[in-house]
Amino acid sequence: MTSAALDDLHSTTPGSASRRAPRAWLHTDAPSLSLNGDWDFRWSPVADAPGFEDPDGWGSLPVPSHWVLHGHGAPSYTNVQYPFPVDPPHPPDENPTGDHRRTFTLPDSFDGAARVLLRFDGVESHYRVWVNGELVGWSTGSRLAAEFDVTSMLRPGSNELRVRVHQWSAASYLEDQDQWWLPGIFRDVTLLARPAAPIDDVFVRAGWTATLGDAASAGTAASGRPSTGTGTISVPTLDAVFPVRFTVPELGVSVVWDSAEEVAPITVEGVEPWSAELPRLYDATLTSGSGAAGGGAAGETVSLRLGFRTVQIVGDRFLVNGERVVFHGVNRHETHPVRGRVFDEAHARADMALMKRSNVNAIRTSHYPPHPRVLDLADELGFWVILECDLETHGFEFQGWQGNPSDDPAWEDAYLDRIARTVERDKNHPSIVMWSLGNESGTGRNLAAMSQWVHARDPERPVHYEGDYTGEYTDVYSRMYPTLQETESIGGGPATPLLGCGPAEAARQRSKPFLHCEYVHAMGNGPGQIAEYEALVDRYPRLHGGFVWEWRDHGLLAHTPDGTPYHAYGGDFHEVVHDGNFVMDGLVLPDDTPTPGLAEFAAVVAPVRLSVSPLGGSSIAGGGTVLVENRYHSASTAGLRFCWTLSRNGVVEASGRFAPGIVAARQSATVPVPDEVLAAARADADSLAPGDELWLDVVAELAGPTAWADTGHVVARTQTLVASREAEVVRASRVGWQGDRLGDATFTARGDLATLKGHAVAGPRLELWRAPTDNDRGASQGGYETADPELTHGVGDPTAPSSVSKWEARGLDRLTHRLVSVDRTDDGLVQRVRVGAANSGAGVEVTHRWTLTDAGLLLRTDAVPFGGWDVTWPRVGVRIDLPAALLSETASWFGTGPDESYADSSHAARVGRFEAPVSAMTTRYSMPQETGHRPSLRSLTVGPFTVTTVPAPGSGHRAGFTLTPWTAQQVGRAAHPHELPEPDALYLYVDDAQHGLGSRACGLDVLPEHQLWPSARSWSVLLA
């Protein structure tokens, strides 16, 4: 490589002058040739690699791909850190380099082309291109498209294309996103034949205005038609050889423009609007040349899908089609455990359909433009999209932002180049309602220049950038992980200081629409507190919702030396610096498995909210009502059906449907509980046996199939306890000890359970420890255990260490048990145990009281803390060890489910009768941690054993349970699921309570109301 070529790696210039100006990614009938496939490939660890003529070291590599996922070098994960010295704009000499080479022959369809363009849709991070030995040019901007005119370089017959890709370059300083560093040609490479009369670029705006007296809210979720209004089509850019015909057949539009001066707005009546809920699209075409007006040079036809919608900011409201938008969104990276960022349309469609089924209505494309087809899918399926530029310089935070390119004039061209290529490629998508300048790049003049460029190019879409804390150049106020108190302050509640703002700047920011571009960090078991944030959005119209961080874990498929597969994260590839499993922070696991956190999100943000007023208690005399609140932006409930079931102890007794009428968007309706529900409830309530519970479930489900779900998919639900009868007091059996046997059990001399129903068991053993969650390990924001958030504006104690560090310091993971006494009674035994940890004076006095009853063995546990407890407890409960043979069994239970739930993540849980294989009772998080807790158990059966909880007198509180093949200590020691030991038992945890989850891996600590502090506790279970 020449010294000039190496100099390009150190240049803040974004690319060679031979790159063509950015333009829209268009669907065209002009010929093209995909160059995807197997290429010759050679890898070198340094930038100054041998020339292409050197015959040594060549193999093959598929394109698109990342070479580190095919055995050349290794992936590297960092969140903020740069994996090379911070010496801008210079990359290191140890710069992995991949040479790509292939031959191709132009098809006959290219014979009439006036020009041929070579398009790269994504290459990380710097690449240089040759055709037939002649230098074409070079480019940077990994997730951005670049085109080169190669017409003069092509020849008849075989042609050779060479591409040299360097992993590091000056541009790498602008691409410090929280993700894997994955070099290579990872998106499509295409040759484009351009006709003599081309349509090179077009920007079509399709605005919508409601007809007087009409409203978009009459639309339907899955069927029927929305209201119509006036559509306005304007074309601010049409780079073409005229004449050009523009058609929208469904609207009767067909016009011919003979010159650029003739292009004028078109007004059409009777247009249905586009929204994320009703993604109505109209097919449009632009035809140039001979097809436009019956004569002229050969042209092309470009196809567009128009969505009519108008984006506005009015005061402190962000509006689409005149109505406030609430983002129930996710941050979406492009990631796959095998392909990395290589696009697969079927997988993307399935992923986005899962989003829709989970009530996700918005996507922030963190932190770069996705593959262009993703935006087509967003238009079609319906998402509000914030499209983000390929920009992040987060690593400069470690340098106090000194040298940050965002405020260095030398980098201005690179910044403007990136935003131009972002906006121009995707400007025709109705789903995009906001442009984002990038992420976590500090602030400075270059970001302000980007904003000015966007406002000039597309004044109809607002500009977002979270790092503009004082609001100097952005249209909306956006933050990551503000506390609940600060969020309320932004919404209009009691004033608190705003990050980085003086009084005047704070007033400016409070006058804008606000959104959380990131909130509730979905790492591992969590996040907690979704409901608390959503409640603020309900209360304050200035708050427009937000985007969960993030959609999917980024685990890469790897194998141990013996071939065991697992999903790898930072450090698993021997990186010099890395950020561990912080890349595993999604609502979906790497293998596409939705986490319980996704179900929780779907339940909290459901677009239809249902509530049932009390039916009058055991007499069912009050009648009751059902409130249906439609929180859709634009869809009515016409596409939904409403169903009810009445269940006794989890078994359905009666079911049916009711019709609240069509409820328009943003409206509500209250209807009486159907008479058939009341009749069935009265009949069942009169026949309740002791301990019986009668539950009414009301659901809103799809009345017909959609592109993302089948008929019957549940959109929202609520559950109400209609009636219950207090259980009878469990009384001692008249049959007591028979030798060493008490009922179906035997005990050791220490008073521990030894066998039950002839099977070896062990326990009970007091447990205060749980395998730490990622949120337990995190300390990203202040702690709430030592500071009241209501008194600190939610900031908490900034010096507070993580929960797990405090728990470990108190020895909760290594408790020892000292038997105090064992006393037999006529019908049972009493075991007293003193529990504590080495070098600690704090502990728990535990009393286990066993009583033989006619229903089985009753175990009552009393736990009384003593000494100087100054930390929360992860859990308080007992562990009972069951035979390993039960690991292949199915568990069935009556209680909460179907998934795990915790104090601050419980909206997806409902009371019912559930069953699942024992192996599915826990979630296989990417890093093993606490999982599987289901509170408020009634009864559980696994194999020959049944466990029934006895509610606490007065409160009705019941213990919960966890079934797991591993102890909490074993889980806590494993860094990956495959590192867990071979199970030798099935462990039943019966927990009176667990500490909440929080979001402190990157967010708030567990709120005080969800913390578990040491206190005297009692709980009872029957074993049979």
Side-chain angles (χ1 to χ4, degrees):
M1 177 179 283
T2 65
S3 60
L6 286 173
D7 287 345
D8 294 341
L9 294 174
H10 302 258
S11 173
T12 60
T13 302
S16 62
S18 58
R19 295 186 312 164
R20 290 180 54 81
R23 64 191 184 105
W25 194 86
L26 298 170
H27 296 275
T28 172
D29 66 353
S32 65
L33 175 66
S34 172
L35 297 180
N36 296 349
D38 288 333
W39 291 42
D40 296 334
F41 178 77
R42 181 183 60 196
W43 182 83
S44 173
V46 295
D48 194 9
F52 279 85
E53 292 75 17
D54 190 311
D56 295 332
W58 289 93
S60 65
L61 184 77
V63 171
S65 71
H66 303 280
W67 69 63
V68 292
L69 301 184
H70 290 264
H72 306 283
S76 172
Y77 166 62
T78 61
N79 171 25
V80 181
Q81 306 175 81
Y82 284 109
F84 46 79
V86 182
D87 181 25
H90 308 293
D93 292 340
E94 294 84 359
N95 191 347
T97 298
D99 287 333
H100 303 68
R101 181 179 65 194
R102 69 156 293 164
T103 59
F104 63 89
T105 301
L106 292 181
D108 294 342
S109 58
F110 276 53
D111 289 349
R115 289 177 297 131
V116 177
L117 305 183
L118 175 61
R119 182 183 183 96
F120 294 88
D121 281 308
V123 184
E124 183 175 331
S125 73
H126 177 291
Y127 59 105
R128 201 168 185 86
V129 184
W130 295 262
V131 170
N132 294 325
E134 185 175 348
L135 178 64
V136 175
W138 63 275
S139 188
T140 61
S142 297
R143 271 67 66 176
L144 302 168
E147 291 181 337
F148 301 90
D149 190 330
V150 296
T151 310
S152 63
M153 304 172 188
L154 297 173
R155 60 194 182 201
S158 179
N159 293 267
E160 183 186 57
L161 173 62
R162 298 174 176 179
V163 184
R164 171 163 284 188
V165 181
H166 301 284
Q167 178 163 7
W168 310 123
S169 66
S172 300
Y173 288 99
L174 308 184
E175 296 178 359
D176 189 29
Q177 290 99 336
D178 178 7
Q179 61 178 351
W180 293 98
W181 299 88
L182 297 175
I185 304 173
F186 67 93
R187 287 187 186 157
D188 303 316
V189 182
T190 312
L191 278 173
L192 305 173
R194 307 303 298 136
I199 299 174
D200 283 329
D201 195 16
V202 64
F203 184 8
V204 178
R205 293 172 175 160
W208 186 84
T209 305
T211 301
L212 186 64
D214 206 352
S217 60
T220 70
S223 62
R225 293 283 184 178
S227 294
T228 60
T230 301
T232 302
I233 303 169
S234 60
V235 186
T237 297
L238 180 51
D239 182 2
V241 173
F242 289 85
V244 171
R245 180 181 295 276
F246 177 64
T247 66
V248 188
E250 195 173 351
L251 296 176
V253 173
S254 181
V255 297
V256 175
W257 295 313
D258 290 318
S259 67
E261 291 71 28
E262 292 185 15
V263 178
I266 302 169
T267 300
V268 187
E269 300 297 332
V271 173
E272 300 169 15
W274 184 97
S275 73
E277 297 151 11
L278 300 165
R280 180 67 162 93
L281 295 171
Y282 291 86
D283 291 325
T285 61
L286 287 132
T287 302
S288 63
S290 57
E300 68 179 316
T301 295
V302 169
S303 301
L304 300 167
R305 306 198 77 189
L306 305 184
F308 289 85
R309 91 285 179 272
T310 297
V311 179
Q312 297 171 292
I313 290 178
V314 178
D316 60 1
R317 304 291 193 275
F318 175 79
L319 311 176
V320 174
N321 298 334
E323 300 297 341
R324 170 180 174 247
V325 170
V326 175
F327 297 106
H328 292 137
V330 294
N331 285 276
R332 180 190 181 273
H333 267 291
E334 297 205 302
T335 181
H336 185 273
V338 175
R339 297 188 303 272
R341 284 188 282 279
V342 174
F343 181 70
D344 178 86
E345 183 163 335
H347 186 261
R349 180 181 286 275
D351 221 30
M352 294 168 76
L354 175 59
M355 291 182 189
K356 293 287 287 188
R357 294 194 300 274
S358 303
N359 293 330
V360 173
N361 71 0
I363 296 171
R364 176 181 175 225
T365 67
S366 56
H367 297 294
Y368 42 82
H371 188 282
R373 280 290 292 156
V374 170
L375 283 310
D376 289 340
L377 295 174
D379 295 342
E380 173 194 333
L381 296 173
F383 291 94
W384 311 115
V385 173
I386 296 180
L387 191 74
E388 196 146 270
C389 185
D390 188 7
L391 175 65
E392 183 166 335
T393 67
H394 203 174
F396 284 91
E397 183 177 40
F398 289 119
Q399 323 303 318
W401 294 106
Q402 292 298 311
N404 182 20
S406 295
D407 200 38
D408 184 344
W411 295 85
E412 181 178 5
D413 287 347
Y415 275 60
L416 292 175
D417 175 77
R418 284 175 181 258
I419 194 63
R421 290 159 71 191
T422 296
V423 172
E424 297 294 359
R425 192 196 76 168
D426 296 325
K427 56 189 176 245
N428 290 306
H429 290 283
S431 57
I432 299 172
V433 294
M434 205 177 296
W435 301 110
S436 178
L437 304 180
N439 185 67
E440 293 176 321
S441 297
T443 190
R445 68 193 77 185
N446 295 333
L447 288 158
M450 293 170 75
S451 178
Q452 286 182 311
W453 186 93
V454 174
H455 283 124
R457 183 67 177 114
D458 184 14
E460 296 183 1
R461 290 183 178 107
V463 171
H464 164 275
Y465 175 66
E466 186 266 348
D468 181 24
Y469 295 135
T470 59
E472 295 178 12
Y473 47 84
T474 48
D475 302 308
V476 296
Y477 185 27
S478 177
R479 288 282 303 285
M480 298 178 183
Y481 313 104
T483 68
L484 292 164
Q485 288 76 12
E486 189 179 1
T487 300
E488 183 170 16
S489 169
I490 295 166
T496 69
L498 299 187
L499 180 67
C501 290
E505 295 161 332
R508 173 168 63 191
Q509 292 294 60
R510 285 191 175 95
S511 71
K512 298 177 181 179
F514 175 80
L515 61 93
H516 291 104
C517 65
E518 296 178 21
Y519 82 121
V520 293
H521 194 257
M523 187 176 182
N525 190 343
Q529 306 151 341
I530 302 172
E532 285 81 359
Y533 279 105
E534 185 68 8
L536 293 177
V537 174
D538 290 346
R539 192 180 311 157
Y540 299 104
R542 181 182 298 154
L543 306 180
H544 289 74
F547 298 79
V548 174
W549 187 266
E550 65 172 305
W551 173 244
R552 174 183 287 275
D553 282 5
H554 296 222
L556 295 177
L557 184 63
H559 295 83
T560 64
D562 68 0
T564 302
Y566 69 99
H567 290 111
Y569 49 73
D572 288 334
F573 297 99
H574 310 292
E575 302 100 310
V576 175
V577 295
H578 64 85
D579 287 299
N581 72 318
F582 206 67
V583 77
M584 309 296 237
D585 48 11
L587 292 167
V588 177
L589 300 180
D591 64 358
D592 300 336
T593 301
T595 68
L598 180 57
E600 177 72 3
F601 178 81
V604 170
V605 306
V608 175
R609 295 192 183 172
L610 305 166
S611 55
V612 179
S613 67
L615 301 188
S618 59
S619 64
I620 319 296
T625 57
V626 180
L627 174 62
V628 179
E629 298 177 82
N630 183 352
R631 293 173 178 258
Y632 280 117
H633 169 272
S634 46
S636 78
T637 62
L640 303 176
R641 64 190 185 198
F642 295 85
C643 308
W644 61 268
T645 58
L646 198 64
S647 303
R648 186 203 301 252
N649 300 336
V651 178
V652 175
E653 301 267 290
S655 62
R657 296 181 185 173
F658 68 99
I662 296 177
V663 184
R666 306 172 307 283
Q667 302 299 315
S668 62
T670 301
V671 297
V673 171
D675 290 341
E676 56 185 324
V677 176
L678 295 174
R682 291 189 186 106
D684 279 352
D686 291 341
S687 63
L688 290 181
D692 279 1
E693 301 174 25
L694 193 62
W695 290 89
L696 174 64
D697 286 76
V698 177
V699 303
E701 61 185 34
L702 292 182
T706 68
W708 43 269
D710 293 330
T711 301
H713 167 72
V714 173
V715 173
R717 73 186 315 137
T718 190
Q719 187 179 62
T720 303
L721 180 63
V722 174
S724 62
R725 188 171 176 187
E726 189 173 340
E728 293 179 341
V729 176
V730 179
R731 302 189 184 280
S733 170
R734 285 175 293 198
V735 178
W737 289 92
Q738 295 178 318
D740 290 331
R741 179 172 295 280
L742 184 66
D744 289 331
T746 63
F747 293 81
T748 69
R750 291 177 47 87
D752 293 331
L753 194 61
T755 66
L756 183 63
K757 291 189 171 181
H759 299 275
V761 297
R765 176 185 176 90
L766 182 80
E767 284 284 4
L768 302 179
W769 180 250
R770 72 181 183 194
T773 67
D774 289 305
N775 291 314
D776 292 338
R777 297 181 187 276
S780 68
Q781 293 196 19
Y784 287 163
E785 295 179 14
T786 51
D788 185 343
E790 295 299 328
L791 302 178
T792 61
H793 307 308
V795 174
D797 179 359
T799 66
S802 68
S803 291
V804 69
S805 66
K806 292 185 288 185
W807 296 340
E808 288 176 336
R810 299 301 182 270
L812 301 189
D813 57 333
R814 49 181 173 82
L815 297 176
T816 61
H817 296 64
R818 179 173 65 83
L819 179 65
V820 176
S821 64
V822 178
D823 298 304
R824 278 198 183 192
T825 64
D826 290 342
D827 50 20
L829 66 78
V830 178
Q831 181 195 49
R832 291 180 173 85
V833 181
R834 197 170 174 90
V835 180
N839 198 37
S840 174
V844 184
E845 291 181 343
V846 182
T847 303
H848 298 301
R849 289 182 171 85
W850 291 95
T851 304
L852 181 61
T853 75
D854 291 338
L857 278 170
L858 175 66
L859 169 62
R860 173 189 168 101
T861 301
D862 299 313
V864 180
F866 64 85
W869 283 105
D870 60 352
V871 297
T872 55
W873 284 346
R875 71 178 346 137
V876 57
V878 294
R879 191 189 88 200
I880 299 174
D881 303 357
L882 303 177
L886 298 180
L887 292 166
S888 61
E889 295 283 347
T890 293
S892 60
W893 73 100
F894 175 40
T896 58
D899 295 325
E900 63 193 39
S901 60
Y902 297 80
D904 53 357
S905 181
S906 60
H907 288 72
R910 64 186 189 274
V911 175
R913 194 166 293 277
F914 307 98
E915 68 174 36
V918 167
S919 60
M921 294 296 290
T922 55
T923 302
R924 192 177 173 87
Y925 291 110
S926 297
M927 173 179 275
Q929 56 196 274
E930 160 61 32
T931 173
H933 175 62
R934 292 168 173 85
S936 199
L937 174 68
R938 276 71 169 170
S939 64
L940 163 71
T941 298
V942 55
F945 306 118
T946 296
V947 180
T948 303
T949 61
V950 178
S955 70
H957 173 75
R958 297 174 182 266
F961 81 102
T962 303
L963 275 178
T964 170
W966 302 283
T967 68
Q969 288 78 5
Q970 289 173 327
V971 173
R973 288 192 291 266
H976 302 84
H978 72 271
E979 296 171 6
L980 290 164
E982 189 67 26
D984 56 10
L986 175 63
Y987 300 99
L988 168 65
Y989 286 86
V990 179
D991 288 324
D992 192 56
Q994 277 217 25
H995 192 61
L997 298 175
S999 191
R1000 205 179 175 201
C1002 189
L1004 304 186
D1005 196 4
V1006 176
L1007 299 177
E1009 58 266 35
H1010 302 311
Q1011 295 171 3
L1012 175 59
W1013 283 94
S1015 64
R1017 321 279 302 202
S1018 298
W1019 62 95
S1020 300
V1021 295
L1022 271 170
L1023 303 182

